[in-house]
Amino acid sequence: MLKHAISFGLVAFLLMAEGGPAANAGSKLPDPGSAGVADKLFRLDCGHSLANDESVWTPGENVGRSIEFSSTCWLIKHGSEWLLWDTGVPEAAIKDPQGWSTLPKLIVYHLDKTVTGQLAEIGLKPSDIGRVAISHTHGDHIGNVRLFPDSAILMQRAEHSWINSGNGPNDNVNRLMALARELLGAPKNLQLIDGDTDVFGDGSVILVSTPGHTPGSQSLLVHLKNSGFVILSGDVVHLEGNFERNIVPALNTDKAQSIASLEKIRQMMARAMRPMT
Ligand SMILES: [Zn+2]
């Protein structure tokens, strides 16, 4: 059946599915027989957090219970090119006992390792990263975008329009939008995309539109030689139970879109899967 590798985090819900001969029926998923492959996928530690009310993510359940999350960035090697997926909690928070926050009344983030330090361990400097793709603009995902001034920044046009639009429905959303504008800045090589996009043109790395958590949230479908297709789902879902029961966090901008995006991921997984032997 399905292989799940789940990190209960604001970034990482990793779903793995093996490619099979029937995987491409009527879908945008590349044909496993002909899709290119990315060479390597690295997990980077991009922070961890403690929130004081789980029910924000599980409305009506676990009210007032604290919950920990991990923040994860992913680094992909494709030939001689590198793509970074999300950038994590700002490096300024490194080993700060006070931590850092997007919504101080709800959640505090801590950072034990810098993203640039982890890149250096692999022998890379920020200017080696040709593309930085961001799942969405919450601060724990774009905290270090400015460390990559020479990279192409890939994001959905709907997300960029949203953070530059007027006021949101409540103070929390307004704060998140303002922080997003501040952290993103004005990248000199901003590439706004519309919907599903094949990054390298060979079916190996696909940006998949999965709105609902924010208006321009996206996921990343990566095809690896040995692991098959891997879906890096950003904040489309935070908890396995939410994925199983279509539970939508209170902070999401659109409940119906959120549920549709969960279904889109389920369908991608079903199409990419073959029975495990
Ligand atoms: Zn988020």
Side-chain angles (χ1 to χ4, degrees):
M1 297 298 290
L2 204 57
K3 286 194 292 186
H4 277 205
I6 297 164
S7 170
F8 293 107
L10 290 178
V11 177
F13 186 82
L14 172 66
L15 307 165
M16 302 181 73
E18 299 276 326
N24 201 34
S27 80
K28 294 193 174 187
L29 197 66
D31 180 348
S34 60
V37 289
D39 298 281
K40 287 183 179 173
L41 176 65
F42 297 84
R43 181 189 184 279
L44 305 183
D45 177 353
C46 276
H48 55 94
S49 58
L50 180 64
N52 59 22
D53 185 0
E54 183 177 335
S55 71
V56 170
W57 289 268
T58 55
E61 298 178 13
N62 303 316
V63 177
R65 197 165 91 173
S66 63
I67 182 168
E68 292 181 62
F69 293 103
S70 60
S71 293
T72 305
C73 307
W74 300 90
L75 178 68
I76 294 154
K77 184 175 193 291
H78 179 274
S80 60
E81 301 184 272
W82 294 90
L83 180 148
L84 180 65
W85 172 247
D86 282 337
T87 66
V89 173
E91 289 197 352
I94 186 74
K95 294 179 178 165
D96 180 349
Q98 300 295 313
W100 175 84
S101 187
T102 50
L103 297 171
K105 290 179 183 169
L106 173 65
I107 191 164
V108 177
Y109 294 86
H110 293 276
L111 190 65
D112 302 327
K113 297 178 174 182
T114 62
V115 66
T116 50
Q118 292 173 86
L119 291 177
E121 287 177 23
I122 303 168
L124 298 171
K125 50 189 184 302
S127 60
D128 293 323
I129 308 301
R131 296 171 176 83
V132 174
I134 54 178
S135 63
H136 65 298
T137 55
H138 284 164
D140 50 313
H141 296 254
I142 62 164
N144 297 301
V145 165
R146 289 185 188 224
L147 296 178
F148 301 90
D150 300 321
S151 309
I153 308 298
L154 278 58
M155 64 187 292
Q156 292 284 331
R157 188 182 309 278
E159 188 76 356
H160 192 258
S161 299
W162 172 61
I163 63 171
N164 290 292
S165 65
N167 283 340
N170 59 59
D171 288 347
N172 280 343
V173 173
N174 287 336
R175 179 177 162 78
L176 291 171
M177 291 165 71
L179 184 61
R181 291 192 294 273
E182 180 188 325
L183 291 170
L184 183 65
K188 68 183 178 194
N189 191 1
L190 180 63
Q191 296 188 3
L192 299 178
I193 61 172
D194 298 292
D196 300 349
T197 301
D198 186 339
V199 177
F200 295 104
D202 63 357
S204 63
V205 179
I206 312 280
L207 289 161
V208 180
S209 172
T210 48
H213 180 61
T214 61
S217 280
Q218 58 182 350
S219 302
L220 194 67
L221 179 65
V222 183
H223 189 211
L224 295 163
K225 186 179 177 190
N226 293 326
S227 302
F229 288 98
V230 175
I231 302 168
L232 308 177
S233 55
D235 276 1
V236 171
V237 63
H238 301 79
L239 303 167
E240 188 172 16
N242 285 12
F243 188 59
E244 290 167 350
R245 297 189 289 148
N246 271 346
I247 294 172
V248 176
L251 278 171
N252 280 23
T253 56
D254 191 306
K255 186 171 182 179
Q257 274 189 341
S258 299
I259 290 172
S261 289
L262 292 177
E263 183 57 26
K264 183 174 183 176
I265 287 190
R266 281 190 203 101
Q267 289 183 6
M268 283 199 307
M269 291 167 67
R271 283 194 295 261
M273 250 188 344
R274 68 182 175 208
M276 299 288 283
T277 53

